[in-house]
Structure formats: structure tokens, C-alpha cells
Amino acid sequence: MARRPAEPPARPGLAEAAAPAPADGTPHYHGHRERLRARFAQAGAEALADYELLELTLFRSIPRRDVKPLAKALIHRFGSFAEVVSAEPARLMEVEGVSAGVAADLKLVEAAGRRLARGAIAARPLLSSWGALIEYLRATMAFSGREEFRVLFLDRRNHLIADEVQGRGTVDHTPVYPREVARRALELASTAIILAHNHPSGDPAPSGADIRMTREIVSVLDPLGIVVHDHVILGRDGHASLKGLKLI
């Protein structure tokens, strides 16, 4: 007897079947919300899957609907919790069920995460807080859909003076102007900088263009007595340090 081919797994989405409501008429997801909140309170975020953490985030944005199908649809579309909250609002609203208000709430979560990460490095010498710096850069730019080039300007004690995006580009290119970096460093009386940019492809390995651009910035800043401590490249799969790779 020929076997019937197995059906492919259903794609998560808003059409996901809902459990029947209790006899008293209370929507089935009310109990689910309380159980999920209790798990979060008792075990923390690490005990939750990405879609469950996203559900918790959506509870306040969408108070009267089961948000599990929407959370799963968002994770399916973007890949992870971090990639969902980092997505541009227009792309978020392409997912059925995401209104402008829901997108704004998700971007608020992203902004809060960035502010927390920045607070961890604000008053500390960056060269002795490298782990916190990498976490800040990952939260800020690792999951962006476009390349961003930023410069962290430091004082003589290697404390952060300013963190500025010098350029935004396409999915694989951002124009960088070394003399503009030098001009801004002089304006801020910065004695050292750290360069950073992201690779939306996910692979943080430096390209030949990345290496040439970094060396050009070093050559422009060196006569001015401004040190380039490093150039960090961020990707979904990790980060790369040009100094660590002995490329500068």
C-alpha cells in the first residue's frame, strides 16, 4: 500500500487555531498570559523562548487578543527577538496584525535596550570595559538591515565623549570620509576613537575595503595625535576586531 506523503508543518501565523474558551466565557488566553507572566517572574527571561518573550511584550500593546500566533509570525519573519525589535516599523507592519501602535511599542523596547547598554559604558574607561562595549554595539547596530558606520570619541582617560553615526548606507556599503572623522574629533577635543560598523549579511569578517578604509583613517588621524584604538565589525553571528586580527 502506498504511503500518503506527510503534510508540511503549518507556517505560524494569525490563523493558528485557538483553544476553546472556558465554560464561563473567559477567553482562553487570559490564563495563558498569567502563566507566562508567572514563569517570567520566577525563572527570568532566559527560561523563555524568543516568541514567549515577544508575547510578553505584546500583551500591553494588544490587551484583548491571543498574541501567540502574532509573536510566532514575527519570529518566523525576522528570525529572533532582537531582529524583531530592530526591524524598521514599515517592515514590521507588513506582518498581519502589527499596527503602527504595536510597531512603536516594539521600537520602544529596542530604544530601552540601547539606553541600558549605553549606561553600562557611560562612566567607565572603554578599554577596560570591552565586554560592555561589545554588548552596547550589538544592541545598537548588529541587527540593522542597513550598514551604519559610527565613531566613539574618547577623552584622555578613554571615557566616552560622544557616540555618533557618521553614515548610513545600503545593505552592503556605507560611504566614509576620513577627514570628516578627523574634523569631528578635533571639534570634540577627542584624543582617541573606536570605529564600528555592521554587516547586515550577518558575517562580521572584514572586507578588503574595510581594512583599507580603516588604515586611511589611521593615517589621517595619526599626525593629529589621535589614536584609533580599534575598528569593530558587528554581525548577527558575532563580531570581529581589526586590532585583534592584527590588521591595524
Side-chain angles (χ1 to χ4, degrees):
M1 179 183 296
R3 289 183 174 228
R4 182 180 178 181
E7 295 184 0
R11 175 176 174 171
L14 295 181
E16 185 172 310
D24 63 3
T26 303
H28 74 279
Y29 55 82
H30 281 196
H32 170 68
R33 290 187 174 202
E34 292 310 312
R35 288 190 296 272
L36 195 55
R37 288 189 178 111
R39 281 179 56 206
F40 176 74
Q42 293 167 7
E46 295 303 316
L48 304 181
D50 272 14
Y51 81 87
E52 292 175 316
L53 191 60
L54 190 54
E55 278 189 80
L56 285 171
T57 305
L58 293 169
F59 283 170
R60 294 187 181 278
S61 304
I62 307 175
R64 296 180 182 85
R65 196 177 78 212
D66 182 5
V67 296
K68 181 189 286 187
L70 177 56
K72 287 186 173 182
L74 285 165
I75 296 296
H76 182 86
R77 172 71 178 273
F78 296 102
S80 68
F81 181 90
E83 288 168 294
V84 170
V85 299
S86 298
E88 295 182 3
R91 292 194 64 210
L92 289 169
M93 287 187 287
E94 291 173 0
V95 177
E96 182 184 355
V98 178
S99 65
V102 171
D105 286 349
L106 291 172
K107 299 310 291 181
L108 179 60
V109 172
E110 180 194 27
R114 290 185 175 191
R115 189 66 60 88
L116 285 168
R118 185 184 177 107
I121 66 170
R124 301 161 62 184
L126 290 193
L127 297 188
S128 62
S129 311
W130 199 251
L133 172 62
I134 296 301
E135 286 304 310
Y136 168 67
L137 292 174
R138 283 190 60 78
T140 301
M141 60 197 305
F143 301 101
S144 174
R146 293 187 300 165
E147 274 204 10
E148 294 181 0
F149 179 79
R150 66 198 312 123
V151 183
L152 282 67
F153 298 94
L154 313 180
D155 64 16
R156 293 185 182 278
R157 297 180 299 163
N158 288 318
H159 287 180
L160 185 65
I161 299 173
D163 167 20
E164 298 181 353
V165 175
Q166 296 290 306
R168 289 186 172 91
T170 63
V171 295
D172 60 2
H173 175 70
T174 302
V176 178
Y177 304 101
R179 295 192 182 280
E180 284 299 306
V181 175
R183 180 190 61 79
R184 187 59 176 149
L186 292 172
E187 286 179 350
L188 294 169
S190 174
T191 58
I193 65 170
I194 295 172
L195 308 172
H197 82 281
N198 64 308
H199 281 177
S201 67
D203 180 3
S207 67
D210 293 335
I211 297 167
R212 288 191 297 273
M213 176 266 292
T214 305
R215 290 173 176 171
E216 185 177 352
I217 292 176
V218 171
S219 69
V220 170
L221 295 185
D222 186 58
L224 303 175
I226 301 170
V227 177
V228 179
H229 282 311
D230 205 344
H231 184 172
V232 181
I233 302 175
L234 288 302
R236 293 177 180 85
D237 303 326
H239 71 276
S241 158
L242 267 68
K243 184 174 182 179
L245 294 170
K246 303 187 185 304
L247 296 173
I248 57 172

